[in-house]
Amino acid sequence: MIQLNDFKRMWQECSADVLDAVARVGASGWYILGEEVSLFEKQLAERVGGQNVVGCASGLDAIELALRAMELPRGARVLTTPLSAFATTLAIIRAGGTPCFVDVDDTGAIDLEAADLFFAANRDCRWFIPVHLYGHPLNCNALEALKRKYALFIVEDCAQSIGADYERIPVGGVAQCSAFSFYPTKNLGAIGDGGAVATADSKLAARLRALRDYGQSAKYVHSELGLNSRLDELQAAIMRQAFLPRLDRWTARRRAIAQRYCEAFAASGIKHAAPSHGAQSVWHLFPLLTGGPAKRDALAAHLKQRGIMSGVHYPVIIPKQRALLSIGIDAIPALPSAQRFADCELSIPIHPYLSDDEVGEVISAVEDWSRS
Ligand SMILES: *Cc1c(COP(=O)(O)O)cnc(C)c1O
């Protein structure tokens, strides 16, 4: 089977480094918030643009911690995208905010022009969580302009987009805080859960460090009500030694595969969501756009029969999730573009351990289906 993610091949290549990292942490006798976490935070800060990085337990927590450190007022409205992992919206609610939505554009990411209209019409709303979806960076110049025009507080959700940039502005480079996830399927994944917040503001970083650790500003001094959301020494050591040094190579491989897909599908007229002009995507996913739910299911079944796994990102738009019925959210505007993605999107394998032959197999399987 050609998997969406091939952790077994990854283990074959990386296990010596991983086991070395595990042995080092085990022998150190220090398992929570020690040297490994702080070294990983420093290296990640260099990687994502010279900021402060604060490790935490997940991408969900990273967004919640960022909103709380930035003092999101209770009940404040936060604009976000209807097409993302549910965690983006859940973090807003957990931080005490109220999510609002505008539609996505044809890249699948939140439509920044619609966001502009929203903020113009809702001057009391100053909070924004855009998502760099599928690894495709949003237009960071447009994001920066929005931030200035409406004096916004922004948390960029970079869970799918580590290393991506828009005209040399790295993702996370506009907002006060940006959130990363190390869930195993992400471009930089741990062997378990993990997350991080990056910020250029060292006061916010200090606040985040307290908030992730019960709100402790010094040992047994609780200045505010925090969480238990710490990144493990083990995960930090594994990522620093085994995975972070491979990230550039993995990203290059994802880009090479994307280029082959894009060229083949352009020639055969197969539709997919592409990054906007000026965007250097890291291709977390490769989203095909089929003709509708029945066609998508048929393509997924056809691929499976040819030994190729696929996924849907995401089958239900967030404002339609049942969990949101229990909280009072604003009347949901029409979101036809997000709904189209929910109905038509199918992700094909694009992980860095795909062989050239397997990429060819995926291309011919998709092309055979489109001709039939
Ligand atoms: C994975 C993901 C998250 C949540 O990260 P976890 O580490 O699973 O909590 C948030 N936002 C997006 C866009 C994601 O893809």
Side-chain angles (χ1 to χ4, degrees):
M1 268 304 205
I2 300 180
Q3 308 288 340
L4 270 182
N5 293 287
D6 202 322
F7 297 117
K8 287 191 179 151
R9 286 185 194 170
M10 181 170 137
W11 179 254
Q12 273 171 12
E13 197 213 330
C14 305
S15 58
D17 288 330
V18 173
L19 293 173
D20 205 43
V22 171
R24 191 174 62 246
V25 173
S28 79
W30 192 286
Y31 305 144
I32 296 284
L33 296 187
E35 184 148 291
E36 291 293 345
V37 168
S38 73
L39 284 172
F40 172 71
E41 289 175 341
K42 288 201 182 84
Q43 286 197 5
L44 192 67
E46 277 165 31
R47 188 66 189 68
V48 300
Q51 302 172 310
N52 308 283
V53 165
V54 179
C56 64
S58 70
L60 168 70
D61 283 3
I63 302 169
E64 178 184 348
L65 286 164
L67 289 172
R68 289 173 62 162
M70 288 160 68
E71 299 184 357
L72 175 72
R74 183 143 290 277
R77 291 196 289 166
V78 182
L79 184 69
T80 191
T81 174
L83 190 74
S84 180
F86 188 69
T88 311
T89 291
L90 183 56
I92 294 171
I93 297 164
R94 287 193 9 178
T98 306
C100 303
F101 304 94
V102 293
D103 209 355
V104 304
D105 61 22
D106 59 12
T107 68
I110 191 162
D111 182 339
L112 293 179
E113 285 173 24
D116 191 348
L117 294 174
F118 175 89
F119 287 119
N122 297 274
R123 290 287 177 154
D124 59 320
C125 177
R126 308 246 317 268
W127 293 79
F128 188 25
I129 306 195
V131 179
H132 302 283
L133 194 72
Y134 302 143
H136 303 344
L138 285 156
N139 180 334
C140 293
N141 296 320
L143 191 58
E144 174 73 47
L146 273 186
K147 184 182 174 214
R148 288 226 188 100
K149 186 169 171 189
Y150 300 105
L152 297 178
F153 299 97
I154 304 181
V155 177
E156 282 173 66
D157 181 340
C158 304
Q160 302 188 354
S161 60
I162 189 165
D165 68 79
Y166 186 90
E167 289 178 354
R168 301 234 158 73
I169 306 173
V171 295
V174 173
Q176 286 86 351
C177 287
S178 52
F180 295 86
S181 164
F182 309 122
Y183 185 76
T185 62
K186 308 292 164 145
N187 288 26
L188 176 65
I191 300 189
D193 276 307
V197 184
T199 177
D201 181 333
S202 47
K203 281 204 188 111
L204 276 178
R207 191 99 201 263
L208 287 160
R209 285 182 205 290
L211 280 171
R212 74 172 168 186
D213 194 22
Y214 317 128
Q216 288 187 99
S217 49
K219 198 165 173 72
Y220 302 131
V221 178
H222 296 269
S223 344
E224 56 191 327
L225 301 172
L227 314 181
N228 175 348
S229 181
R230 301 174 295 223
L231 179 65
D232 288 340
E233 285 284 281
L234 266 179
Q235 300 298 350
I238 290 168
M239 286 190 284
R240 184 170 68 85
Q241 181 164 348
F243 300 154
L244 195 52
R246 290 178 164 92
L247 180 60
D248 284 339
R249 195 154 39 84
W250 285 340
T251 300
R253 181 67 188 145
R254 285 175 185 273
R255 286 176 170 156
I257 297 167
Q259 193 179 345
R260 272 189 73 191
Y261 284 159
C262 287
E263 282 165 10
F265 298 151
S268 47
I270 291 157
K271 290 204 185 98
H272 63 90
S276 57
H277 185 74
Q280 290 292 320
S281 179
V282 292
W283 296 97
H284 174 60
L285 295 168
F286 194 94
L288 292 178
L289 290 170
T290 67
K295 293 204 165 130
R296 171 175 61 202
D297 290 353
L299 174 56
H302 165 84
L303 292 176
K304 193 162 183 201
Q305 203 227 329
R306 301 268 290 249
I308 299 162
M309 299 306 289
S310 60
V312 177
H313 300 91
Y314 294 87
V316 180
I317 62 170
I318 291 171
K320 285 196 179 166
Q321 291 284 359
R322 207 154 57 110
L324 288 199
L325 295 177
S326 63
I327 60 151
I329 59 170
D330 292 1
I332 302 155
L335 302 166
S337 180
Q339 191 57 52
R340 174 169 164 256
F341 274 82
D343 290 342
C344 304
E345 193 274 349
L346 190 73
S347 304
I348 54 174
I350 191 165
H351 65 76
Y353 290 95
L354 280 179
S355 69
D356 288 342
D357 286 349
E358 288 169 331
V359 175
E361 279 177 54
V362 175
I363 291 170
S364 11
V366 172
E367 288 180 341
D368 289 349
W369 176 82
S370 80
R371 276 194 291 266
S372 67

Coordinates of all heavy atoms in Angstrom, one line a residue, residues 58-60 63 84-85 87-88 131 157 159-160 181 183 186 194 314, ligand 1:
S58 N 0.7 20.5 22.5 CA 0.0 20.2 21.3 C -0.2 21.5 20.5 O 0.0 22.6 21.0 CB -1.3 19.6 21.5 OG -2.2 20.5 22.1
G59 N -0.6 21.4 19.2 CA -0.9 22.5 18.4 C -2.2 23.2 18.9 O -2.2 24.5 18.9
L60 N -3.1 22.4 19.4 CA -4.3 23.0 20.0 C -3.9 23.9 21.2 O -4.4 25.1 21.3 CB -5.2 21.9 20.5 CG -6.4 22.3 21.4 CD1 -7.5 23.0 20.6 CD2 -7.0 21.0 22.1
I63 N -2.3 27.4 20.3 CA -3.2 28.5 19.9 C -3.9 29.0 21.2 O -3.9 30.2 21.4 CB -4.2 28.0 18.9 CG1 -3.5 27.4 17.6 CG2 -5.2 29.1 18.5 CD1 -4.5 26.7 16.7
S84 N -10.5 23.9 8.3 CA -9.2 23.6 9.0 C -9.5 22.5 9.9 O -10.6 21.9 10.0 CB -8.8 24.9 9.8 OG -7.6 24.7 10.5
A85 N -8.4 22.0 10.6 CA -8.6 21.1 11.7 C -9.5 21.8 12.7 O -9.4 23.0 12.9 CB -7.2 20.8 12.3
A87 N -9.3 21.8 15.7 CA -8.5 22.4 16.8 C -8.4 24.0 16.7 O -8.4 24.6 17.7 CB -7.1 21.8 16.8
T88 N -8.4 24.5 15.5 CA -8.2 25.9 15.4 C -9.4 26.7 16.1 O -9.1 27.6 16.8 CB -8.2 26.3 13.9 OG1 -7.3 25.5 13.2 CG2 -7.8 27.8 13.7
V131 N -5.2 30.5 9.0 CA -4.5 29.2 8.9 C -3.7 29.1 7.5 O -4.4 29.3 6.5 CB -5.5 28.0 9.0 CG1 -4.7 26.7 8.9 CG2 -6.2 28.1 10.3
D157 N -1.9 30.2 12.5 CA -1.9 28.8 12.7 C -1.0 28.2 11.7 O -1.4 28.1 10.5 CB -3.3 28.2 12.6 CG -3.4 26.7 12.9 OD1 -2.3 26.0 12.7 OD2 -4.5 26.2 13.2
A159 N 0.4 25.1 11.8 CA 0.5 23.7 12.1 C 0.9 22.9 10.9 O 1.5 21.8 11.0 CB -0.8 23.2 12.7
Q160 N 0.4 23.3 9.7 CA 0.7 22.6 8.5 C 1.8 23.2 7.6 O 2.0 22.7 6.5 CB -0.6 22.5 7.6 CG -1.8 21.9 8.4 CD -3.0 21.6 7.6 OE1 -3.1 22.0 6.4 NE2 -4.0 21.0 8.2
S181 N 2.4 22.7 15.4 CA 2.0 21.4 16.0 C 3.1 20.4 15.5 O 3.6 20.4 14.4 CB 0.7 20.9 15.4 OG 0.5 19.6 15.6
Y183 N 2.2 17.0 15.9 CA 1.5 15.8 15.7 C 2.2 15.0 14.7 O 2.7 15.6 13.7 CB 0.1 16.2 15.3 CG -0.9 15.0 15.2 CD1 -1.4 14.5 16.3 CD2 -1.2 14.5 13.9 CE1 -2.3 13.4 16.2 CE2 -2.1 13.5 13.8 CZ -2.6 12.9 14.9 OH -3.5 11.8 14.8
K186 N 2.4 15.8 10.9 CA 2.8 17.2 10.4 C 4.2 17.1 9.7 O 4.9 16.1 9.9 CB 2.8 18.2 11.5 CG 1.5 18.2 12.3 CD 0.3 18.8 11.6 CE -0.9 18.4 12.3 NZ -2.0 19.3 12.3
G194 N 3.0 17.2 20.5 CA 3.8 18.3 20.9 C 3.4 19.5 20.1 O 2.6 19.4 19.1
Y314 N -11.3 19.0 4.5 CA -12.0 18.3 5.6 C -13.4 18.1 5.2 O -14.0 18.9 4.5 CB -11.9 19.2 6.9 CG -10.5 19.4 7.4 CD1 -9.7 20.4 6.9 CD2 -9.9 18.5 8.3 CE1 -8.3 20.5 7.3 CE2 -8.6 18.6 8.7 CZ -7.8 19.6 8.2 OH -6.5 19.7 8.6
Ligands
LIG1 C1 -3.0 19.6 13.4 C2 -3.5 20.9 13.4 C3 -3.9 21.6 14.6 C4 -3.8 20.9 16.0 O1 -2.6 20.4 16.3 P1 -2.5 19.2 17.4 O2 -1.1 19.1 17.7 O3 -3.1 18.0 16.8 O4 -3.3 19.7 18.6 C5 -4.3 22.9 14.5 N1 -4.5 23.5 13.3 C6 -4.2 22.9 12.2 C7 -4.3 23.6 10.9 C8 -3.7 21.6 12.2 O5 -3.5 21.0 11.0

